[in-house]
Amino acid sequence: MVRLFAKAGAEVKVVMTEAAKDFVTPLTLSTLSNHPVFSAFQRDEDTGEWTNHVELGMWADLMVIAPLSANTLAKMATGRCDNLLMAVYLSAKCPVMVAPAMDLDMYQHPTTTENLVKLRQFGNIILEARSGELASGLVGQGRMEEPEEILEQVITHFADSAVFNGKKILITAGPTHERLDPVRFIGNYSSGKMGFALAEQLAGMGAHVLLVSGPTALSAHHPNIELTRVVSADEMYTACIEKFEHCEIAVLSAAVADFKPKYRADDKLKKSSGLHNLELEPTVDILASLGERKQPGQLLVGFALETSNELENAMDKLRRKNLDLIVLNSLRDPGAGFAHDTNKVTLVDRENNISRFELKDKREVARDIAMRIKELSVK
Ligand code: CTP
């Protein structure tokens, strides 16, 4: 990996743990990286200076921890700082990419899963372990991602990071809750995962993201994301109208309730008063309202969840609401849609260009959508 990075033109400085030295000598990595290897808080005999972990953390544009052991993973998840590597990690100002490698039972252990989730929440980039033959002789998931692929991911990371520099992007996410009385509402099963994944992706590509979310259990981590939490369709509408005029792009992925109760009770509705009918009225269509307000140079993306005549309905929605791109997800596909971690989408633009994608993790779907938006916004 050090050789590949150096060959690709990167300046590489290596931090080794004591355990790493059982696999490869510091001399080898020092020769390949053309820098001394850092492994302990050492004092330079000539200058009298100590190894400065803060400086190392500030120096790098990217920190790659590969292979990431179960032990270092656990330390990263809890902030335990007992070696130079952890001190550099904790003081690093740059993005951190990790490539876990361990035996398959260790990789599958619930603590490992939980620790990886934590790292992801901290904003670290995880390159999932591959399946294959492991050092123990067992076969399964736990192999470190191939060095060539890690280099690819690093190159993609830097290519992506400036794509939306200086752009403001409005995103809606999650469901809306339409109040019936102080304790009840009409809602839907949307988890907000797709919208939050889009926000993280676009923020990672340099955009300033204004994320307007209905009630979800999710939180946003990227410093470029400004999160506004709302409850109802009306509140989401007000927030979006106010923000849209400052944005170059808007992606409306929220599952906004189409109807709200016509009358809202201030007191809890009593069983004894016998509520037999619920009168509803339509909510305001946020996407259509933004479509009406859209100015030249602004790009509007909507979502469609269809169960029949999918493509036809999506194309119709694209025109009716004056969109530039529509993301169609079909409830027919197992694993796609509400509350799943995966999604399967088809993208359709104004010129009827259709791109179909496989069932993927919502974070990867977010990248596909972001890349399509990039293509449309440079047209
Ligand atoms: N949407 C919105 N405001 C609403 C309802 C929907 O902004 N009140 C947006 C969603 O965020 C999504 C898109 O509209 O981007 C698709 O919503 P959908 O409910 O499928 O569209 P409708 O036009 O209501 O079509 P349908 O007849 O299928 O209900």
Side-chain angles (χ1 to χ4, degrees):
M1 225 169 53
V2 174
R3 189 187 292 120
L4 284 176
F5 283 159
K7 223 172 134 190
E11 196 181 342
V12 185
K13 290 188 183 178
V14 180
V15 178
M16 292 182 90
T17 58
E18 283 310 308
K21 293 181 190 166
D22 292 336
F23 291 88
V24 55
T25 67
L27 182 63
T28 310
L29 293 184
S30 169
T31 312
L32 288 173
S33 65
N34 229 346
H35 280 290
V37 161
F38 304 90
S39 69
F41 295 95
Q42 277 163 348
R43 192 150 183 246
D44 188 305
E45 294 300 330
D46 300 328
T47 63
E49 278 178 30
W50 289 88
T51 311
N52 190 334
H53 60 273
V54 177
E55 236 166 52
L56 268 175
M58 303 255 275
W59 167 83
D61 297 309
L62 180 75
M63 181 173 184
V64 181
I65 306 184
L68 174 70
S69 66
N71 190 33
T72 297
L73 168 64
K75 289 192 221 171
M76 289 170 77
T78 51
R80 190 175 154 89
C81 186
D82 64 352
N83 60 18
L84 183 70
L85 174 66
M86 283 309 301
V88 176
Y89 168 68
L90 289 172
S91 48
K93 292 274 176 285
C94 58
V96 180
M97 192 179 269
V98 301
M102 60 195 80
D103 210 26
L104 84 158
D105 293 319
M106 295 167 77
Y107 197 68
Q108 278 167 3
H109 196 279
T111 12
T112 305
T113 311
E114 215 177 278
N115 288 340
L116 283 172
V117 168
K118 269 199 191 162
L119 258 56
R120 200 163 262 139
Q121 286 170 348
F122 298 157
N124 297 161
I125 305 157
I126 319 283
L127 306 181
E128 305 253 353
R130 290 282 190 106
S131 285
E133 200 170 310
L134 305 172
S136 62
L138 296 171
V139 177
Q141 196 178 12
R143 267 176 82 95
M144 188 184 85
E145 180 58 276
E146 295 298 332
E148 290 78 8
E149 181 56 32
I150 297 179
L151 175 66
E152 273 306 305
Q153 297 279 350
V154 169
I155 292 171
T156 307
H157 168 82
F158 284 114
D160 276 4
S161 62
V163 166
F164 291 111
N165 262 358
K167 295 254 193 282
K168 267 196 177 171
I169 305 186
L170 171 68
I171 299 179
T172 65
T176 63
H177 288 180
E178 308 305 324
R179 187 183 142 131
L180 204 52
D181 72 8
V183 294
R184 302 183 183 94
F185 61 84
I186 298 176
N188 60 63
Y189 290 118
S190 166
S191 62
K193 282 179 189 162
M194 193 63 245
F196 275 69
L198 271 164
E200 295 285 343
Q201 176 67 40
L202 292 166
M205 293 170 86
H208 180 84
V209 174
L210 307 177
L211 175 60
V212 179
S213 173
T216 73
L218 304 175
S219 42
H221 301 283
H222 200 288
N224 289 1
I225 302 176
E226 207 177 301
L227 174 62
T228 306
R229 292 195 190 269
V230 296
V231 177
S232 64
D234 284 340
E235 286 175 24
M236 190 174 273
Y237 172 79
T238 307
C240 288
I241 294 296
E242 190 243 310
K243 295 177 196 305
F244 183 55
E245 58 177 309
H246 310 292
C247 293
E248 284 84 9
I249 301 167
V251 187
L252 271 58
S253 70
V256 186
D258 286 323
F259 297 96
K260 62 181 181 183
K262 193 161 183 183
Y263 307 103
R264 275 171 291 165
D266 288 332
D267 293 316
K268 187 182 163 211
L269 296 166
K270 300 297 272 179
K271 200 164 36 200
S272 51
S273 55
L275 177 73
H276 297 299
N277 294 308
L278 194 55
E279 225 181 308
L280 300 173
E281 62 182 1
T283 55
V284 55
D285 191 321
I286 305 166
L287 186 58
S289 307
L290 298 193
E292 283 166 16
R293 286 173 163 73
K294 195 174 73 173
Q295 298 295 317
Q298 282 185 309
L299 200 117
L300 185 58
V301 183
F303 273 64
L305 190 69
E306 305 289 346
T307 49
S308 59
N309 297 330
E310 300 165 340
L311 213 47
E312 205 179 302
N313 285 340
M315 285 171 161
D316 177 53
K317 214 167 271 182
L318 176 98
R319 288 186 212 302
R320 259 193 299 122
K321 300 195 188 188
N322 191 22
L323 313 180
D324 300 284
L325 183 72
I326 192 150
V327 182
L328 166 66
N329 35 127
S330 158
L331 268 187
R332 281 195 197 161
D333 294 303
F338 278 11
H340 286 287
D341 285 330
T342 48
N343 206 1
K344 187 174 167 193
V345 301
T346 303
L347 307 183
V348 189
D349 69 14
R350 281 179 96 88
E351 284 152 22
N352 292 341
N353 295 311
I354 300 170
S355 338
R356 294 175 203 275
F357 295 90
E358 294 304 305
L359 186 73
K360 296 178 181 190
D361 189 284
K362 282 185 176 168
R363 287 186 299 263
E364 290 170 49
V365 176
R367 184 160 193 280
D368 291 336
I369 297 171
M371 294 317 278
R372 194 74 192 88
I373 293 174
K374 176 194 153 191
E375 286 165 15
L376 290 174
S377 61
V378 294
K379 257 191 182 175

